[in-house]
């Protein structure tokens, strides 16, 4: 499945959608599909500082625990509280209802370290499945 | 996974079917096996509510024949073999001299031979062990691993599916009994056994016939189900998995299978060690726990009773049949295994409350 345009992507299969200096963060469709049924998501606390590409939480599927790396750095301003009761939303709608958290980005130059949809698609295609 | 990783793996007769169904293939017991198709929870639910089809051809099938099989096997395995009636199936375990478990297996008694099904992960070890232990003229062993297929049809709708494709009166077959007949016209042994906690059947047949049987089972409404769903189903049903609840270090007693150990047999390998273990009653043992929170436990996570570390998690899963609660088996000291005991599971450095419950976690309505 091609990735949505207008989002930026990390090598670790997260996406970031910028609205001014606030970025909404999630994992890609490729990531949720690779993980399988997601049963628990551990997110950074609202108010905490996260560094770009740092390990800041976990996504747990039925079979495995995977580290979550933040595609952007800054202050966490909101998290998706509905995921506590319904972590499967990340499987059903990774770019919509399955968003993870929002960050007030400390430096918009971070965008330069992320990929376009086309570049991300090319990286996934080269990885093979 | 990449082509390079799967290329060296053995393939069952149903490998191409799995790939065509979009299965995710993983290495298991030397074979490339489907861990999931549509999703583990969805496949689990299909088995609990309708029917699921499993390819279990990676499990090793050994054929035992000769008039000495029962007496020989009774001196090796912990459960009784000679008392099995024709067409009866029975769970059994082989132990080492320390009482640890070589493997847990199923024996099927047929009129002229015995079928022994061992875990894929133990196939070579068990073949070598049985061959080197066979000092009898009246016992012949044949290794059918990889040649014979095994398709399991499990779930409340399994009976109508197997009735539709077999000449055997599958509905009349009693639990843990089997029959010889045909499925889709191919010779097969049809057994009312399984590893899911549901009613169901296991169909032993030639690899050549397996694809058409598999397709017919799916046409009749079974969902293909992979090893991921199988593990979730068996854990809910409180059934041990070799390498987790049983191992060369974990005896049938410690692993909760004492019911299968027949101490009234005059001798079998490991008997003295198991008797000592029972008499001492100090061994670490398997218990079932339910976690209070939503954070899943994983194999190897430490288990605490107050400030004392008492053991570790062996298997864990979310349990869709228990409303999505997190369940686990733990291997813990005796006092920590008592029903109702409040324990903590350490997950990434934090303590998460759990309490000991009876096994199985899930029992189907009779």
């Amino acid at each position: 499945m091609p990735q949505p345009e207008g989002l930026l992507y990390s090598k670790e299969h997260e996406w970031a959608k910028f609205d001014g200096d606030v970025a909404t963060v999630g994992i890609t469709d490729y990531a949720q599909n690779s993980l399988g049924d997601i049963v628990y998501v551990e997110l950074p606390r609202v108010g905490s500082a996260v560094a770009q590409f740092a390990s800041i939480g976990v996504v747990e599927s039925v079979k495995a625990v995977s580290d979550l790396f933040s595609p952007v750095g800054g202050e966490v301003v909101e998290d998706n509280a509905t995921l506590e009761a319904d972590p499967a939303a990340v499987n059903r709608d990774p770019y919509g209802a399955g968003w993870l958290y929002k960050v007030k980005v400390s430096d918009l130059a971070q965008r330069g370290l992320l990929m376009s949809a086309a570049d991300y698609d090319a990286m996934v295609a080269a990885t093979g499945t | 996974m990449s082509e390079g990783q799967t290329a060296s793996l053995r393939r069952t007769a149903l490998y191409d079917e799995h790939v065509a169904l979009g299965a995710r293939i993983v290495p298991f017991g030397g074979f490339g096996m489907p861990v999931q198709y549509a999703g583990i929870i969805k496949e689990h639910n299909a088995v609990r509510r309708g029917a699921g089809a499993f390819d279990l051809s990676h499990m090793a099938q050994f054929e035992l024949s000769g008039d000495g099989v029962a007496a020989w096997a009774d001196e090796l395995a912990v459960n009784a073999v000679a008392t099995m009636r024709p067409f009866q199936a029975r769970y059994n375990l082989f132990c080492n001299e320390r009482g640890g478990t070589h493997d847990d297996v199923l024996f099927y008694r047929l009129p002229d031979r015995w079928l022994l099904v061992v875990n894929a992960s133990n196939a070579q070890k068990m073949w070598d062990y049985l061959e080197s232990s066979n000092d009898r003229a009246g016992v012949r062993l044949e290794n059918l691993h990889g040649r014979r297929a095994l398709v399991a049809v499990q779930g409340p709708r399994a009976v109508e599916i197997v009735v539709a494709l077999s000449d055997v009166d599958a509905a009349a077959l009693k639990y843990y009994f089997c029959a010889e007949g045909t499925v889709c016209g191919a010779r097969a042994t049809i057994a009312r056994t399984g590893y899911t906690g549901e009613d169901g059947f296991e169909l032993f047949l030639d690899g050549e016939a397996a694809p058409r049987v598999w397709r017919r089972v799916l046409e009749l409404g079974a969902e293909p189900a992979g090893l991921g769903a199988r593990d979730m189903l068996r854990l809910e049903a409180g059934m041990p998995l070799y390498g987790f609840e049983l191992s060369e270090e974990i005896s049938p007693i410690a692993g909760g299978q004492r019911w299968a150990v027949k101490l009234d047999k005059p001798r079998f390998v490991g008997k003295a060690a198991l008797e000592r273990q029972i008499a001492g009653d100090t061994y670490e043992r398997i218990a079932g726990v339910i976690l209070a929170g939503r954070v899943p436990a994983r194999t190897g996570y430490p288990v605490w009773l107050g400030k004392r570390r008492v053991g570790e998690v062996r298997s864990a899963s979310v349990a869709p049949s228990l409303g999505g609660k997190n369940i686990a088996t733990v291997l813990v000291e005796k006092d920590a295994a008592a029903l109702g005991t409040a324990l903590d599971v350490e997950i990434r450095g934090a303590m998460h409350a759990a309490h000991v419950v009876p096994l199985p976690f899930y029992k189907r309505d009779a």
Side-chain angles (χ1 to χ4, degrees):
Chain A
M1 152 173 179
Q3 303 309 315
E5 293 290 338
L7 275 52
L8 293 172
Y9 298 88
S10 74
K11 288 191 178 68
E12 301 287 352
H13 307 283
E14 283 91 14
W15 55 263
K17 182 183 180 185
F18 284 81
D19 179 8
D21 64 351
V22 173
T24 303
V25 170
I27 67 170
T28 66
D29 185 61
Y30 173 84
Q32 70 79 18
N33 186 54
S34 301
L35 291 167
D37 293 326
I38 292 168
V39 294
Y40 180 72
V41 181
E42 188 176 284
L43 299 174
R45 269 195 211 89
V46 172
S48 65
V50 296
Q52 191 178 25
F53 306 130
S55 169
I56 45 76
V58 295
V59 178
E60 300 210 29
S61 68
V62 168
K63 295 305 282 182
V65 186
S66 300
D67 283 326
L68 188 61
F69 299 93
S70 188
V72 291
E75 183 192 340
V76 178
V77 293
E78 192 178 346
D79 63 7
N80 185 354
T82 67
L83 296 181
E84 190 171 332
D86 183 23
V90 179
N91 291 119
R92 288 195 310 273
D93 191 8
Y95 302 111
W99 67 277
L100 301 180
Y101 58 95
K102 295 182 183 181
V103 173
K104 188 175 192 315
V105 178
S106 53
D107 181 355
L108 288 175
Q110 290 175 11
R111 287 195 292 196
L113 300 174
L114 298 170
M115 283 178 275
S116 67
D119 288 348
Y120 179 73
D121 276 340
M123 184 192 84
V124 168
T127 307
T129 52
Chain B
M1 76 193 303
S2 72
E3 285 291 319
Q5 283 171 287
T6 52
S8 60
L9 294 169
R10 298 174 75 184
R11 295 176 172 189
T12 73
L14 295 172
Y15 182 86
D16 292 343
E17 305 292 321
H18 305 319
V19 172
L21 288 163
R24 186 165 306 158
I25 303 292
V26 299
F28 191 86
F31 286 77
M33 295 300 294
V35 65
Q36 67 164 67
Y37 304 83
I40 291 172
I41 293 173
K42 184 166 179 284
E43 294 161 32
H44 161 283
N45 291 341
V47 173
R48 288 275 182 258
R49 297 168 190 166
F54 299 85
D55 177 14
L56 307 177
S57 308
H58 62 305
M59 300 191 75
Q61 300 178 40
F62 300 156
E63 241 176 41
L64 320 176
S65 56
D67 55 16
V69 168
W72 170 73
D74 262 332
E75 294 188 5
L76 293 178
V78 304
N79 203 347
V81 179
T83 57
M84 291 172 67
R85 288 179 278 152
F87 298 110
Q88 195 173 4
R90 189 171 283 172
Y91 179 76
N92 211 327
L93 308 99
F94 290 88
C95 284
N96 59 40
E97 291 290 357
R98 295 174 289 114
T101 312
H102 273 327
D103 200 10
D104 66 332
V105 304
L106 275 182
F107 277 87
Y108 296 84
R109 181 171 200 166
L110 296 164
D112 59 340
R113 66 194 192 283
W114 304 71
L115 177 61
L116 177 61
V117 180
V118 313
N119 282 295
S121 54
N122 290 332
Q124 191 61 46
K125 176 180 85 174
M126 285 304 294
W127 179 254
D128 293 344
Y129 174 66
L130 294 174
E131 271 215 316
S132 67
S133 307
N134 183 14
D135 50 4
R136 315 277 167 102
V139 179
R140 287 182 302 279
L141 308 174
E142 189 179 2
N143 189 346
L144 301 175
H145 192 204
R147 276 189 279 160
R148 291 283 293 281
L150 172 53
V151 174
V153 187
Q154 300 278 304
R157 287 196 54 226
V159 63
E160 67 180 78
I161 290 170
V162 175
V163 162
L165 52 75
S166 176
D167 66 346
V168 162
D169 186 0
L173 200 56
K174 285 191 287 184
Y175 187 55
Y176 268 69
F177 276 83
C178 61
E180 292 185 291
T182 64
V183 286
C184 302
R187 280 182 356 116
T189 300
I190 297 118
R192 201 156 199 167
T193 50
Y195 191 55
T196 61
E198 295 303 320
D199 187 16
F201 297 83
E202 294 182 304
L203 313 174
F204 299 88
L205 66 173
D206 288 333
E208 167 271 320
R212 72 174 189 274
V213 171
W214 174 261
R215 287 178 195 174
R216 187 79 186 113
V217 167
L218 300 190
E219 276 168 22
L220 290 166
E223 296 282 336
L227 296 179
R230 182 170 155 87
D231 189 40
M232 184 181 270
L233 290 157
R234 72 87 196 168
L235 182 59
E236 286 184 345
M239 294 168 163
L241 174 61
Y242 193 86
F244 294 85
E245 287 80 23
L246 296 167
S247 71
E248 295 286 351
E249 313 306 322
I250 307 174
S251 76
I253 304 299
Q257 307 308 311
R258 183 173 179 166
W259 65 275
V261 180
K262 297 298 184 277
L263 294 171
D264 55 347
K265 294 203 296 182
R267 59 180 173 274
F268 58 82
V269 176
K271 183 181 177 185
L274 294 177
E275 283 176 331
R276 280 196 302 275
Q277 196 172 42
I278 292 167
D281 198 23
T282 55
Y283 52 90
E284 290 194 343
R285 62 204 69 195
I286 292 289
V289 303
I290 293 180
L291 286 93
R294 299 193 65 93
V295 190
R298 304 281 172 182
T299 303
Y301 285 2
V303 175
W304 297 76
L305 174 58
K307 294 198 180 314
R308 181 160 56 97
R309 184 174 165 165
V310 288
E312 65 168 32
V313 173
R314 296 305 305 154
S315 296
S317 180
V318 291
S321 305
L322 281 76
K325 286 188 177 131
N326 282 301
I327 60 172
T329 57
V330 295
L331 181 65
V332 292
E333 294 172 24
K334 179 183 177 180
D335 60 334
L339 291 183
T341 305
L343 300 173
D344 286 306
V345 178
E346 183 184 339
I347 303 176
R348 293 183 288 277
M351 294 301 172
H352 293 262
H355 68 283
V356 178
V357 298
L359 292 173
F361 298 103
Y362 166 83
K363 204 166 186 177
R364 72 177 180 272
D365 298 330

